Amino acid sequence: MSKRVSSKYKIDRRLGVNLWGRPKSPINKREYGPGEHGQRRRKPSDFGTQLMAKQKLKGYYGNISERQFVRYYKEAVRRTGDTSENLIGILECRLDAVVYRMKFVPTVFSSRQLISHGHIKVNGIKVTIPSYMVKVGDKIELRDKAKGMNLVLDAIVSPERDIPDYVAVDHDKGNGSLTRVPVLQDVPYPVQMEPNLVVEFYSR
């Protein structure tokens, strides 16, 4: 579990962006960081810009731990092709990200909770690890108890987000699948993500 589930909006304020595009984000009213020095604005260095790009990407996916994020970066480097695109593909294949994209939950934090509480099955088997890597074609489904949860029902009808085209979902049956691994331009981030700067940060 993330250590900041109850403080996710602090991430918004610290980074100065509405990271998940939610109407309740405090950044909509106060476009500056928390604390007495939050309104001071300084031009960031190259390192600061790269660090901010990393923190945004880590925070967006539920504030992934640094150790795990470095592991994803190393895997992205190992794969053929563009490292920054590989990194986005890996992050979007996390089970909590796929469940979030399917609109079974309102936030990536609630997706993590739904999975860890045993409400999700992958190919008919209960999976309780939010970082489980989904493969293209895997069947993701809600367990029967979860289908009637208010959290799930409210998320499904919410107009807040659209379902991207690399995910297929049947809300009536409570299941879906990842149809392909997306690239950066496919992912509906509410804010600009710069995985190329993340690669620069780790390759220094």
Side-chain angles (χ1 to χ4, degrees):
M1 291 289 288
S2 168
K3 295 179 181 178
R4 290 187 177 268
V5 169
S6 62
S7 304
K8 55 183 176 291
Y9 289 136
K10 286 184 179 179
I11 301 174
D12 274 5
R13 292 203 62 204
R14 187 177 72 244
L15 297 177
V17 294
N18 187 351
L19 197 54
W20 299 279
R22 304 212 73 199
K24 292 182 180 180
S25 174
I27 205 69
N28 294 335
K29 295 181 180 179
R30 293 172 291 183
E31 295 183 359
Y32 51 86
E36 61 179 304
H37 304 301
Q39 296 188 57
R40 294 183 181 178
R41 291 183 181 273
R42 292 185 298 176
K43 185 176 180 180
S45 62
D46 289 344
F47 172 82
T49 302
Q50 294 165 359
L51 177 62
M52 183 67 71
K54 176 178 76 81
Q55 297 297 75
K56 281 199 299 184
L57 205 54
K58 276 180 59 180
Y60 182 84
Y61 289 96
N63 217 33
I64 299 170
S65 71
E66 180 66 17
R67 178 181 295 181
Q68 194 166 41
F69 201 72
V70 169
R71 191 160 65 243
Y72 291 150
Y73 166 73
K74 290 180 178 178
E75 174 60 22
V77 171
R78 189 189 66 79
R79 296 183 182 184
T80 57
D82 185 272
T83 301
S84 60
E85 293 286 6
N86 290 343
L87 180 60
I88 294 299
I90 291 169
L91 291 168
E92 282 293 307
C93 285
R94 283 175 56 103
L95 181 57
D96 54 1
V98 175
V99 171
Y100 175 62
R101 293 297 178 214
M102 289 177 173
K103 277 188 70 178
F104 286 141
V105 288
T107 69
V108 71
F109 294 94
S110 52
S111 176
R112 184 173 295 183
Q113 187 175 51
L114 192 75
I115 295 163
S116 62
H117 287 183
H119 293 301
I120 296 293
K121 292 193 292 185
V122 180
N123 297 327
I125 300 172
K126 181 175 73 172
V127 175
T128 58
I129 303 171
S131 60
Y132 176 91
M133 299 306 294
V134 176
K135 297 180 179 65
V136 172
D138 281 352
K139 183 180 180 182
I140 315 299
E141 59 184 320
L142 296 169
R143 299 186 73 190
D144 290 340
K145 184 178 179 181
K147 293 177 182 178
M149 293 172 63
N150 288 334
L151 175 84
V152 173
L153 296 175
D154 290 346
I156 288 173
V157 299
S158 172
E160 198 171 291
R161 291 182 293 119
D162 293 325
I163 299 171
D165 62 5
Y166 52 89
V167 169
V169 61
D170 186 331
H171 284 150
D172 292 332
K173 295 181 179 179
N175 62 42
S177 64
L178 181 70
T179 58
R180 61 183 173 84
V181 178
V183 295
L184 177 60
Q185 65 179 11
D186 298 327
V187 184
Y189 293 121
V191 298
Q192 183 181 9
M193 292 296 183
E194 300 167 298
N196 58 306
L197 295 181
V198 179
V199 173
E200 290 177 10
F201 177 88
Y202 284 119
S203 60
R204 284 177 295 117

